[in-house]
Amino acid sequence: MTLLYRFYNCTLVRDHALIQDDLWIRNGKIINPENIFFSEKTRADIEYDCQGALIAPGYIDLQINGAFGHDFSSADEASEEMLIKVAKLLTSHGVTAFVPTIVSSLPETYQEVLPIYKRRAGSAKDGATILGIHIEGPFIAENKRGAHRTDFLRKSECGIEDLKTCYGSFENVSIITLAPELPNMVENVIPELVARHNLVVSLGHSTATLDCGERAILAGARFITHLFNAMLPFHHRDPGLVGLLTTHPLPATTIVYYGLIVDTVHTHSAAVRLAHRVHPHGLVLVTDAVPALGFPDGTYHMGAHEIVVNGKRATIAGTETLCGSIASLAECVQYMRQALLDGETNKEIINEKDSTQFVVESIEAATLHPAQVLHIENQKGTLSFGADADFIFLDKNLNILSTFIAGEQAWTVTNQWSIDNLQTKSSQ
Amino acid sequence: MRLIITKDYSTVSEWGAKYIKKRINDFKPSADRLFILGLPTGSTPIGTYKKLVEFVQAKELSFKYVVTFNMDEYVGLPKDHPESYHSFMWKHLFKHIDIDPNNVHILNGSAPDLIAECEQYEQAIRDHGGIDLFVGGIGPDGHIAFNEPGSSLASRTRIKSLAQDTIAANARFFNNDINQVPKCALTVGVGTVMDAREVMVLISGASKAIALHMAIEAGMNHMWTVSALQNHPKFLCICDEDATLELKVKTVKYFKGLMGVHNKSIEEDNNSS
C-alpha cells in the first residue's frame, strides 16, 4: 500500500526562493497536494512536524575522488560494495547523488574499474544515487596536471580511437574532463563524445586560450573543471578558460557551467565572489574530495599517490601541491554563503531578509546547477512536483539535520530528527 | 437587510470571518448535522479567508463538519491551472484548514457535459438540505457570482458568457492579456443564492460604491443582480467607508447608528476580547 506523507512546519527551497509550504511525498516522489485534494479527495496518511527546519533538495557532487578512506581510482579497492559503503556515508554530508571520479590512470585500471561503478538509484538502504562516472584525464595538459601523474598522461593524436583504447567503454561514464587544446579534441573528439556517447565534456587541466575554449564549447563542451585551478590564470589580455564565464559568441540557449572548489583553500573568497557576480547561474559546487574526506589528519592513498591531510589542506606527500579537498559538500555550501556574505558592504542592516541572504544561491549551486549539467533537473536537485524525493533538513546555519532519499530517511544527526519523533499523524 | 459599515478592507475581512466562525460554532455541526457554506472567489474574500485560517490554526474553529459549495468556475481551465478557482480556493483556504476534501464542491469547468454538471450541482445542494450561509462579493457592475447584468433574478446554476467588463477586470490575473482570460464560466444562479437560508455579502473599496448604491437604494433590477437580495429574509452586507461613497448620508447614518446591535452578532458568547 502506498502511503501519502505530508511534511509540514517547514521552509522549502523552491522556485529560486524560500517559501513556507508543505512537502508531500508518495512513492518516493514529490507530488502536488492540490491534485490529491481535488481529484483523489484524500488527506495525508502520515504527517511529520518538521520543527521549522529548512528543506532543500539533496546535494549533488559531480567531482569526488573518494571518501572515508576509499579511493575510486584504485583497482584493488574497486567493488560495488565499496561504492555503496561510500554512498551511504556521504548521506551524512547531505549528499543524495554523486559522480565517482577517477583521476588519470593506466588503461588497465580504467578497464577494470569503469565496468564496476554502474549507475544505480539511491535509497535509504544503499545510500546516495550513483549518477555515472567522471573520468578526469588522462587526456590533459602536462603543465597543468596538478596532482595527476605525468607518466599516465596521454595524447589524442588519433582522435577518439585513442580515448577508446585507453578507457575501453564509455557506458558507465557521465562526465569527462579533457584539455581541448590537445590534437583533434575540438575538431572530432568533443563532438563525438557529446553526440555519440552522450557525455558531458568538461574542460580542465588545460593551457587552452579563451579562443580554444570557445571553440570547445561550440563543439559541445558544457562544463569547466574546478575553475581557476589547473588552468591559465585570468589575464586581461589573455583571459584563458576563465574568460568563458563572460563569453558572448554562444547561442543564447547555451550556458557554460563551472565547478568551483569552495573549501577556503583552493579558491580565495574574492575569486568565489567574482565568479558568482559574473555568472551566478553557472556556478556548481564540487568537493573534488580525496579519500581522506570524512577522516581526521593523517596520510592516505589516492590513485598512485600518498596524500597528507593537515587541517583543511590535502597535499601530495613531500610537496606543497594541493591535490583535492577534504571539505564536505555541506561545508562547501556554508563556505560559499560566507564568501558571498563577506562581500556585502552593508553589514549593519539586520532584518528578516538578510538572515536568509545567499541561502538560496548557495544551495542551488549544490543542487539545481549540478542537476542541470547532467540534464536531470526535472528529477534531481529540485523540490518541484514530480521530482525524486531526495531532500535534506537544514538548520538556519545550513548544517545538515537529516537526509532523505526516495522519500525515506537515510541519515539523521540526532534522534531528535528521526521521523518517528516527528510524526504527528498516523494512518492507524 | 443588515448593513455593517466598517473602517476599511481589513475590518471588513475580520468582521466577515468572525461572523462565519460564530455561525458555524453556534450551529455545533456534527457528523449527522453538517454546516453547509457557500463561498466566493476574487480579491475581496482573500482577507476573510486569511482570518478564517488563523482561527483554524488557533483551534477556535474547525471545518471538520463543514461542507462548502463555491459559486463559480471558469469553463475550459484545467483544475490545476494557477488561475482556476480550484487553485484559488486551495491556495487561500483549503490547504490551510482541516476540511474533508469529500465535503468540498466546486463546479467543474472541464466537465464533458457542462449542462449536466450544473444540474448535478443544484441537486447536490438539495441533497445536503440547502445552504445555511452563502458568502459572496459583488462586481463593479453589481453582479453576484457571475450573474452579469441582464441575468434573470430567478436563474439557476448554468453556463454564462462573461461580460466584457468582467473579462477586463480579470485580465490582471492573466498577465494583463485579455486574450488569455476565459470567456465563459459556470455559475450558481441568483435564484440559487436566494435559496440559501442566509446570505452575507462582503463589499470593499470605492470601485464598488455605485454597485452598492444600486443594490440597496434603488429597486430590484436584473441589471444589478445583487439587488435581488432585497427580497431575502436574511441578508447581511458588510462594507467599508469607501464603498459607501455613493450612498445617501441618511442611509449611512441609519445603519451606523445600529452598530451597537450589530456588533453583538459577532461577539463570542463568553464576551472574550
Side-chain angles (χ1 to χ4, degrees):
Chain A
M1 145 155 136
T2 54
L3 295 174
L4 183 57
Y5 301 91
R6 172 183 170 238
F7 291 77
Y8 67 96
N9 190 9
C10 48
T11 302
L12 306 185
V13 179
R14 187 183 264 167
D15 294 333
H16 314 296
L18 297 175
I19 60 169
Q20 299 289 124
D21 206 351
D22 299 344
L23 188 68
W24 290 65
I25 312 284
R26 186 164 63 184
N27 280 334
K29 300 256 185 218
I30 298 170
I31 54 163
N32 185 352
E34 183 183 340
N35 287 342
I36 307 279
F37 184 87
F38 287 124
S39 303
E40 297 178 32
K41 300 190 194 285
T42 57
R43 318 279 295 277
D45 297 306
I46 300 186
E47 298 187 340
Y48 298 112
D49 180 345
C50 302
Q51 320 276 335
L54 174 63
I55 300 185
Y59 293 153
I60 301 173
D61 197 349
L62 299 186
Q63 187 174 4
I64 169 170
N65 306 292
F68 301 99
H70 294 288
D71 177 6
F72 296 137
S73 302
S74 160
D76 295 336
E77 287 193 63
S79 72
E80 201 186 8
E81 289 75 33
M82 180 271 264
L83 192 61
I84 292 176
K85 184 173 169 216
V86 176
K88 288 178 70 142
L89 290 165
L90 282 174
T91 59
S92 66
H93 297 166
V95 172
T96 56
F98 68 103
V99 182
T101 304
I102 298 177
V103 296
S104 296
S105 306
L106 292 168
E108 44 263 40
T109 305
Y110 288 116
Q111 280 157 50
E112 216 182 305
V113 171
L114 294 186
I116 295 176
Y117 298 147
K118 293 193 190 12
R119 292 176 178 81
R120 63 184 290 132
S123 64
K125 177 171 149 296
D126 288 339
T129 298
I130 313 298
L131 294 170
I133 302 171
H134 181 165
I135 40 179
E136 188 193 14
F139 295 90
I140 54 176
E142 187 171 334
N143 291 346
K144 289 293 176 188
R145 69 187 182 281
H148 294 231
R149 269 180 63 162
T150 315
D151 50 334
F152 288 175
L153 303 188
R154 298 170 89 78
K155 291 244 190 308
S156 46
E157 311 286 3
C158 302
I160 192 94
E161 285 313 310
D162 283 333
L163 275 73
K164 287 179 178 168
T165 308
C166 173
Y167 299 120
S169 161
F170 292 118
E171 190 183 329
N172 294 337
V173 177
S174 296
I175 306 175
I176 176 170
T177 291
L178 49 79
E181 69 274 20
L182 293 187
N184 296 306
M185 285 300 187
V186 168
E187 299 82 350
N188 306 319
V189 175
I190 294 176
E192 182 163 343
L193 290 173
V194 171
R196 188 83 54 83
H197 301 284
N198 240 348
L199 300 190
V200 170
V201 172
S202 187
L203 310 177
H205 288 278
S206 160
T207 55
T209 59
L210 176 59
D211 182 64
C212 177
E214 284 175 352
R215 283 185 284 115
I217 300 293
L218 287 168
R222 63 194 264 110
F223 195 41
I224 305 173
T225 302
H226 45 56
L227 188 80
F228 299 124
N229 298 108
M231 58 185 63
L232 293 175
F234 178 85
H235 184 282
H236 51 289
R237 281 187 296 275
D238 193 3
L241 292 180
V242 179
L244 286 172
L245 262 59
T246 68
T247 206
H248 282 298
L250 298 178
T253 50
T254 306
I255 173 168
V256 177
Y257 295 92
Y258 56 98
L260 209 57
I261 306 173
V262 184
D263 64 343
T264 73
V265 173
H266 281 73
T267 315
H268 193 285
S269 67
V272 175
R273 287 192 287 278
L274 205 78
H276 181 262
R277 282 188 208 170
V278 169
H279 186 26
H281 297 298
L283 206 167
V284 175
L285 292 173
V286 298
T287 58
D288 196 14
V290 293
L293 169 64
F295 277 21
D297 291 359
T299 306
Y300 304 92
H301 212 70
M302 178 180 90
H305 277 142
E306 293 282 299
I307 294 162
V308 174
V309 171
N310 192 357
K312 286 181 177 172
R313 300 175 72 87
T315 47
I316 301 177
T319 74
E320 282 304 300
T321 310
L322 293 172
C323 59
S325 150
I326 47 167
S328 71
L329 196 46
E331 286 171 323
C332 293
V333 170
Q334 292 170 315
Y335 293 146
M336 174 177 166
R337 177 161 185 247
Q338 191 55 54
L340 296 180
L341 283 171
D342 286 346
E344 285 299 289
T345 48
N346 217 339
K347 298 193 208 300
E348 271 70 50
I349 296 177
I350 299 175
N351 57 35
E352 174 66 18
K353 190 168 154 70
D354 275 355
S355 78
T356 60
Q357 198 177 17
F358 299 128
V359 165
V360 171
E361 293 90 321
S362 308
I363 288 175
E364 286 190 338
T367 55
L368 178 66
H369 297 172
Q372 287 169 330
V373 171
L374 295 177
H375 301 289
I376 55 175
E377 66 266 32
N378 291 332
Q379 282 82 51
K380 301 281 190 210
T382 174
L383 295 182
S384 300
F385 302 136
D388 294 347
D390 296 347
F391 56 94
I392 51 180
F393 285 7
L394 299 155
D395 66 17
K396 62 177 170 50
N397 293 321
L398 306 186
N399 295 310
I400 312 289
L401 300 171
S402 186
T403 304
F404 293 76
I405 300 180
E408 291 180 340
Q409 191 169 46
W411 180 85
T412 171
V413 66
T414 62
N415 217 27
Q416 178 200 348
W417 293 98
S418 156
I419 44 169
D420 295 330
N421 285 335
L422 303 180
Q423 190 169 318
T424 54
K425 177 190 171 186
S426 157
S427 51
Q428 267 72 50
Chain B
M1 172 194 76
R2 283 174 294 159
L3 178 65
I4 314 280
I5 303 172
T6 69
K7 188 162 69 107
D8 54 17
Y9 177 76
S10 171
T11 12
V12 168
S13 302
E14 196 180 331
W15 226 100
K18 281 183 173 172
Y19 191 78
I20 296 171
K21 176 172 91 157
K22 187 158 163 67
R23 300 301 279 120
I24 294 175
N25 285 341
D26 286 352
F27 187 89
K28 295 189 179 33
S30 64
D32 315 307
R33 193 169 157 262
L34 304 162
F35 188 91
I36 320 299
L37 183 63
L39 293 176
T41 52
S43 46
T44 307
I46 291 178
T48 304
Y49 288 152
K50 195 152 179 283
K51 229 39 228 148
L52 287 173
V53 168
E54 283 172 28
F55 291 150
V56 171
Q57 285 167 350
K59 307 242 186 293
E60 295 169 15
L61 173 62
S62 167
F63 277 77
K64 189 163 176 208
Y65 297 118
V66 175
V67 172
T68 63
F69 283 90
N70 262 69
M71 286 183 147
D72 41 25
E73 174 61 287
Y74 288 116
V75 167
L77 275 194
K79 279 181 196 163
D80 56 7
H81 188 285
E83 292 305 324
S84 78
Y85 285 165
H86 282 77
S87 294
F88 177 96
M89 291 306 300
W90 169 255
K91 183 173 139 193
H92 291 287
L93 188 63
F94 296 142
K95 82 191 274 198
H96 307 283
I97 61 174
D98 60 343
I99 193 163
D100 181 344
N102 289 298
N103 285 342
V104 167
H105 302 269
I106 306 182
L107 284 158
N108 178 7
S110 307
D113 183 344
L114 294 174
I115 294 177
E117 170 71 13
C118 293
E119 284 170 4
Q120 280 158 27
Y121 204 71
E122 288 273 342
Q123 185 60 44
I125 295 175
R126 282 192 291 272
D127 290 344
H128 278 88
I131 293 179
D132 292 302
L133 172 62
F134 218 134
V135 181
I138 65 171
D141 59 3
H143 70 237
I144 181 139
F146 270 133
N147 295 292
E148 311 278 66
S151 295
S152 160
L153 300 182
S155 52
R156 311 302 308 185
T157 305
R158 68 213 184 283
I159 310 166
K160 270 296 293 175
S161 38
L162 303 179
Q164 200 50 37
D165 282 350
T166 305
I167 296 177
N170 284 335
R172 71 186 192 276
F173 300 124
F174 290 85
N175 275 333
N176 283 323
D177 178 3
I178 214 156
N179 294 319
Q180 283 187 44
V181 185
K183 305 211 175 4
C184 289
L186 302 183
T187 179
V188 296
V190 182
T192 319
V193 176
M194 287 292 288
D195 279 354
R197 284 179 275 287
E198 184 171 7
V199 180
M200 174 173 86
V201 173
L202 306 170
I203 306 181
S204 170
S207 66
K208 307 288 173 78
I210 292 180
L212 178 57
H213 158 69
M214 294 307 294
I216 67 174
E217 286 183 331
M220 269 179 49
N221 189 320
H222 66 172
M223 298 311 276
W224 303 86
T225 51
V226 72
S227 64
L229 291 169
Q230 291 177 22
N231 233 7
H232 194 288
K234 251 190 137 180
F235 169 36
L236 169 65
C237 182
I238 310 179
C239 71
D240 56 16
E241 297 279 353
D242 282 349
T244 64
L245 288 174
E246 294 288 338
L247 296 182
K248 290 194 167 135
V249 173
K250 181 170 83 174
T251 310
V252 171
K253 281 189 168 182
Y254 173 71
F255 284 106
K256 277 191 172 172
L258 293 175
M259 279 308 284
V261 172
H262 290 156
N263 277 330
K264 286 191 169 27
S265 63
I266 55 165
E267 265 175 23
E268 311 290 340
D269 287 330
N270 56 359
N271 274 359
S272 56
S273 57

